[in-house]
Amino acid sequence: MDALDAIMAVMEAAFDPAFGEAWNRRQVGDALAQPNTHFLLADATGKEPLAAEDAVGFTLSRQIGPEEELLLIAVMPAARGNGVGGALLARFIADAHSRGANRLFLEMRDGNPAQALYLRHGFAPVGRRPNYYRAGTSGPLDAITYLREALLK
Ligand SMILES: CC(C)(COP(=O)(O)OP(=O)(O)OC[C@H]1O[C@@H](n2cnc3c(N)ncnc32)[C@H](O)[C@@H]1OP(=O)(O)O)[C@@H](O)C(=O)NCCC(=O)NCCS
């Protein structure tokens, strides 16, 4: 199993098809082939797994100079509520800073309970895109844009 397999295993388990947020294998493969796209895997303790098979969570992000967008974050349903998502978010923030990105963005469908996690990690809502998520069966949903700004040391 490679990183793409591990990401897709989490993707297929983690996203509710009703909201149309999940990416397919080709979309993720294309993203990983770009030099400015980064991913993280996490095992059940939130750390980098020893083997891809142990991954229960991932992030996917894209850097453009001093800005980086968290494209996706997901944890397998059975592994949630134990801090894995928070650990991934903290690792993403640290890695992005080490790459020189201090303006971190993410987009979330309105009403996603992940909002509490983002607020706790220093993200603040800065915009709304009406009817952004259209692929799901739940009807179009707005996207909320979050920004985390930090001074780099
Ligand atoms: C968002 C997500 C990655 C969080 O992973 P996690 O490992 O459960 O995260 P943590 O254990 O570090 O933190 C859990 C916190 O997230 C929030 N949260 C996120 N999703 C939640 C849910 N479905 N139900 C309740 N709380 C949720 C709560 O604030 C919770 O805090 P609490 O444990 O103090 O109640 C996970 O719920 C997930 O994969 N969701 C589906 C995919 C998704 O919507 N991703 C975000 C948009 S790209």
Side-chain angles (χ1 to χ4, degrees):
M1 184 186 260
D2 62 11
L4 178 57
D5 294 328
I7 288 171
M8 291 316 297
V10 176
M11 188 90 71
E12 280 151 22
F15 285 95
D16 184 338
F19 302 122
E21 298 158 302
W23 291 23
N24 65 34
R25 189 177 178 92
R26 185 184 52 75
Q27 290 171 309
V28 178
D30 287 351
L32 293 180
Q34 305 295 319
N36 62 342
T37 302
H38 309 285
F39 70 91
L40 290 171
L41 298 178
D43 66 14
T45 70
K47 300 208 175 82
E48 178 71 25
L50 293 175
E53 285 83 358
D54 298 333
V56 300
F58 74 90
T59 65
L60 194 64
S61 60
R62 181 166 49 217
Q63 183 185 8
I64 300 175
E67 300 192 346
E68 187 155 335
E69 182 176 1
L70 182 65
L71 300 166
L72 292 168
I73 178 168
V75 172
M76 295 259 198
R80 288 183 195 162
N82 292 319
V84 177
L88 273 168
L89 210 45
R91 287 172 55 201
F92 161 70
I93 292 165
D95 283 10
H97 286 178
S98 73
R99 289 189 278 268
N102 64 339
R103 285 169 59 81
L104 308 181
F105 290 89
L106 65 84
E107 221 135 63
M108 186 200 82
R109 83 178 140 75
D110 198 5
N112 191 329
Q115 169 176 4
L117 195 58
Y118 300 144
L119 295 174
R120 222 184 286 156
H121 283 81
F123 285 84
V126 292
R128 175 182 291 268
R129 290 178 165 171
N131 302 327
Y132 184 82
Y133 295 100
R134 293 164 180 275
T137 53
S138 67
L141 290 166
D142 294 357
I144 312 293
T145 304
Y146 285 80
L147 169 63
R148 184 186 197 280
E149 286 190 286
L151 292 174
L152 294 182
K153 289 189 198 111

